[in-house]
Structure formats: C-alpha cells, structure tokens
Amino acid sequence: GYNCFLVNHRHFGGNEGKFTGFGILEKDELIKWIECVNSFFPNGKIILYGTSMGAATIMQASDQDLTENVVGFIEDCGFTTCYDEFSYLMKSVVHLPSKPIIDTMSVMTKALLDLDIKASDSREALKNTKLPALFIHGGRDNFVPTYMVEECYEACGSEDKKLIIYDTARHVHSHFKYPDQYEKDFFEFADRIFQQ
C-alpha cells in the first residue's frame, strides 16, 4: 500500500559525482528529491527512510525546512558525524590511532572538497526536529557502533521517537536477521504516522 522512491547517494549506483558527500552534501539534495516527489504526488505523505550513510543524511536533514507532507523518518544504522565514524573505523578496522590521520583528512576534505566532516552532526540537527522518528540499529554493528544511535536518539527533540536495537544484527543486517520483527516494527510505525 506504499509507493517507494529509491535514490542512491552521489557516486553510488552509477550516479553522477566523483565522490560521495557522506550525507553532508546529500542532505541538501534530499530536499530537491522531496520536491520532485511532491511534483508527482502533491497530496501524498512522505516518510523518509535510509540506512547507514542514507540514515545519516536523513538525520542531518531532519531540522531543515522540509515540506509539511514529510510526516516522519526511519533511520537504520546512521552515524553521528563523519569525523566520529572515520575515527572509529581507523581504530577498529585499520588498528591505527585516529589522530593525526583523521585530523589531516579533515583538513584535506575541507580544502579540496569543501566538506567539513566535523561540522555536519546528526545530533545537532536532531535537537531541532519535531518529526516522529524511528531509530533502528544492530546490537553487534561493528561498522557504525551502537553507541552512536543511542547518542542520536537521546539528542532527538521529537516527542514521538522510538529506538529499537536488534541484539545480534550487524551493520544494516537487522532486516536480514529479524525479517518478520523488522517489518512488523517498521510498518507499525509507518502505518501509525500515515494515519495521523
């Protein structure tokens, strides 16, 4: 009973762009995609849904001047900031200290790409959102650590918010690991929001 409009980030899935913006650039593009959907379905209600980088994009856009028909969002395994995420990966995957490598990378992305990986903070955007929000994360996520969703959830200013952690799921694997429960949780939230 839902229409789905699926979008890849820049530089993914054959899309344009020489690099991805890790949600920093895409949050502005998301507003354009919403306008596009509204041109086809002017009376439709929209729930934003994203996983990983897409989830961070949605959280970072949640305090923007979105159209009134955006009625909520569902994020699955989003991160707090690019800086935090890269620092975590440097320690846990590459097994190197994050400083000074990530700080150097931060300076380079700012100088070469005009991307500030420290400034675009999901938690700061979430403080100002009033949208109903469902936060999903895998309890064994070894790519975006679970503490990041807890921080985002705590920062969220919405009075209508819910956090679900699927205990044994890894990064973006909650739906694969718990398909029935995931779909139940997902559609209970979506159906309720659409009916408001």
Side-chain angles (χ1 to χ4, degrees), residues 22-25 27 56 60 79-83 116-124:
F22 296 100
I24 298 167
L25 302 175
K27 72 178 180 191
Q60 291 170 23
F79 47 80
T80 51
T81 69
C82 290
Y83 184 87
D116 189 345
I117 64 172
K118 289 183 179 180
S120 195
D121 191 326
S122 299
R123 295 162 297 193
E124 289 302 313

Side-chain angles (χ1 to χ4, degrees), residues 22-147:
F22 296 100
I24 298 167
L25 302 175
E26 289 82 359
K27 72 178 180 191
D28 297 323
E29 294 168 353
L30 176 63
I31 294 169
K32 297 293 184 189
W33 287 119
I34 292 168
E35 290 171 2
C36 177
V37 169
N38 285 336
S39 70
F40 291 99
F41 302 99
N43 299 316
K45 291 183 179 181
I46 297 173
I47 291 180
L48 303 173
Y49 170 63
T51 60
S52 195
M53 218 177 345
T57 301
I58 288 169
M59 290 190 289
Q60 291 170 23
S62 68
D63 69 340
Q64 301 296 304
D65 188 19
L66 304 176
T67 56
E68 289 183 6
N69 63 325
V70 177
V71 295
F73 68 87
I74 301 169
E75 76 82 29
D76 184 342
C77 293
F79 47 80
T80 51
T81 69
C82 290
Y83 184 87
D84 293 345
E85 176 61 12
F86 294 152
S87 296
Y88 173 80
L89 292 174
M90 185 63 65
K91 291 175 192 171
S92 67
V93 176
V94 184
H95 305 294
L96 291 173
S98 60
K99 291 180 182 269
I101 298 169
I102 301 301
D103 288 330
T104 303
M105 187 176 100
S106 179
V107 170
M108 290 177 62
T109 57
K110 181 67 176 162
L112 299 174
L113 307 174
D114 197 28
L115 284 177
D116 189 345
I117 64 172
K118 289 183 179 180
S120 195
D121 191 326
S122 299
R123 295 162 297 193
E124 289 302 313
L126 287 164
K127 285 179 184 177
N128 301 310
T129 190
K130 302 300 179 214
L131 290 172
L134 176 59
F135 296 83
I136 296 171
H137 215 91
R140 292 190 183 170
D141 192 331
N142 57 355
F143 193 77
V144 176
T146 306
Y147 72 79

